[in-house]
Amino acid sequence: MISNRVFSGVQPTGSLHLGNYLGAIRNFVDLQSDYECIYCVVDLHALTQWQDPAELANNTREVAAAFIAAGIDPETSIIFNQSRVAAHTQVAWIFSCVARMGWLNRMTQFKEKAGKHRENASTGLFTYPNLMAADILAYLATHVPVGEDQKQHLELTRDIAQKFNHDFGVEFFPLVEPLIFGEATRVMSLRDGSSKMSKSDPSEQSRINFTDSADEIARKVRRATTDPEPLPSEPAGLAGRNEAANLVGIYAALARVTVADVLAEFGGRGFAEFKPALSDLLVEKLVPISDQMRRLMDDPSHIDAILAQGADRAAAVADPVRDRVYEIVGLIPA
Ligand code: AQP
């Protein structure tokens, strides 16, 4: 059995933001030295909510460009988009027949995204975790780097793997481990420290996008909601101060230090001093990535070639797994 294969994905649903970077993409980059890595632009997942067809293909390229600009090497890691490898949907159907309604009913992301209009949500949004399980298990991946918000879906992936193995009397699918690390595993909105920074938040002010200029970053940080107190000297002093905790966490993650280290430096100082230091750090880390993304997006055919080649490499791994699944369940003779 494979012991160290990483799989993860990002949806091409709009402008990528700091939460996607610190919760996922930067960790994708770091893992390349120790794992065999497969990174997917999950375009089929994006369709669970309406996407403008004219924008979807471009958003897919943009996520691929962000992967590469952030430091994922398409020669060593596999970068591709989900819809090009049929095994994802083929295995997902099998998992739809393994997962239980009760399991999916418990998924908090469905409840949040469907909101009050549950009856109007697409059935794809409801069964999304089955496809996510197939994304991962079609590669027999063992580790999945994600932000905190995806933890429940990974637990469901483990439940599906376990039930499949049990129902068919095999030891085929591994039980995946989430890799949730860094000081900002759940980056919060700049406007409201109790809600997640998200692409679908209608307020542009709530998030820092990969594509924001240095001026836009500085303006958003300046306007970020805070409280009037100076920063505490110890992490315990951040309890009940969501907005302050969020900004300090972002700083710590970007600087690759602990929250305690940041407070040792800034404790007792007000946001008038801390915010400019945070914007400088954000600009230093994000602007080179967005510059490189822009250069890559100037040559879409190059990105398309990387995605096509990545899909061939991905299919070479996933197709035999799909075939074995078909044999196990009896769709093709063993
Ligand atoms: N705020 C966040 N903090 C930390 N990690 C985050 N991620 C997303 N938001 C945060 C992580 O980014 C990866 C890719 O996410 P996704 O694009 O597949 O979808 P999402 O989690 O639904 O992200 P958004 O931005 O909230 O998109 P919308 O608004 O379209 O739903 C995942 O690993 C996720 O954990």
Side-chain angles (χ1 to χ4, degrees), residues 8-11 13 16-17 19-20 22-24 28 42 49 109 113 128 145-150 184-188 196-201:
S8 198
V10 174
Q11 297 187 66
T13 40
L16 292 172
H17 54 75
N20 298 134
L22 292 177
F28 297 179
V42 284
Q49 293 184 299
Q109 194 182 78
K113 289 197 171 181
Y128 170 121
V146 281
E148 279 279 341
D149 58 318
Q150 290 295 334
T185 54
R186 188 172 172 84
V187 178
M188 308 309 277
K196 186 183 88 128
M197 185 177 286
S198 166
K199 298 183 203 101
S200 50
D201 190 318

Side-chain angles (χ1 to χ4, degrees), residues 89-101 103-104 127 130-131 134 159-160 163-164 167-168 325 329 331:
T89 45
Q90 292 166 326
V91 174
W93 177 253
I94 307 294
F95 287 171
S96 287
C97 303
V98 171
R100 306 288 95 180
M101 288 291 289
W103 299 358
L104 292 174
T127 58
N130 296 337
L131 179 56
D159 290 342
I160 289 174
K163 187 168 186 330
F164 181 95
D167 286 356
F168 295 98
V325 169
V329 304
L331 290 175

Side-chain angles (χ1 to χ4, degrees), residues 42 45 52 75 93 97-98 131 134-135 188 216 237 252 269 275 279 292 303 309 331 334:
V42 284
H45 284 292
D52 183 335
E75 294 296 322
W93 177 253
C97 303
V98 171
L131 179 56
D135 298 335
M188 308 309 277
E216 281 164 328
R269 290 151 78 176
K275 280 181 169 180
S279 333
Q292 175 65 358
I303 298 178
Q309 191 212 38
L331 290 175

Side-chain angles (χ1 to χ4, degrees), residues 73-93:
D73 177 357
E75 294 296 322
T76 44
S77 299
I78 296 178
I79 297 178
F80 73 109
N81 56 314
Q82 188 186 23
S83 59
R84 287 176 187 254
V85 179
H88 291 243
T89 45
Q90 292 166 326
V91 174
W93 177 253

Side-chain angles (χ1 to χ4, degrees), residues 207-285:
R207 64 183 160 263
I208 299 207
N209 296 314
F210 269 48
T211 47
D212 285 344
S213 66
D215 285 350
E216 281 164 328
I217 291 173
R219 196 170 49 246
K220 286 180 179 177
V221 173
R222 221 171 22 248
R223 290 190 187 161
T225 308
T226 46
D227 56 46
E229 301 297 317
L231 285 171
S233 305
E234 306 281 338
L238 290 170
R241 297 178 66 187
N242 292 346
E243 283 80 12
N246 188 37
L247 297 187
V248 172
I250 292 170
Y251 189 103
L254 285 170
R256 294 187 185 269
V257 297
T258 63
V259 164
D261 293 333
V262 179
L263 296 178
E265 186 179 348
F266 289 97
R269 290 151 78 176
F271 287 99
E273 278 183 75
F274 181 65
K275 280 181 169 180
L278 176 60
S279 333
D280 288 349
L281 188 58
L282 280 161
V283 169
E284 180 194 324
K285 302 291 180 190

Side-chain angles (χ1 to χ4, degrees), residues 143-207:
H143 295 83
V144 183
V146 281
E148 279 279 341
D149 58 318
Q150 290 295 334
K151 204 171 162 197
Q152 195 187 29
H153 289 160
L154 283 181
E155 279 158 15
L156 190 91
T157 300
R158 290 167 65 94
D159 290 342
I160 289 174
Q162 218 155 13
K163 187 168 186 330
F164 181 95
N165 288 346
H166 177 266
D167 286 356
F168 295 98
V170 290
E171 280 300 320
F172 186 60
F173 286 122
L175 297 187
V176 290
E177 293 292 338
L179 295 173
I180 300 176
F181 55 92
E183 290 281 358
T185 54
R186 188 172 172 84
V187 178
M188 308 309 277
S189 156
L190 298 182
R191 306 298 285 178
D192 168 9
S194 63
S195 58
K196 186 183 88 128
M197 185 177 286
S198 166
K199 298 183 203 101
S200 50
D201 190 318
S203 166
E204 267 295 313
Q205 275 306 314
S206 69
R207 64 183 160 263

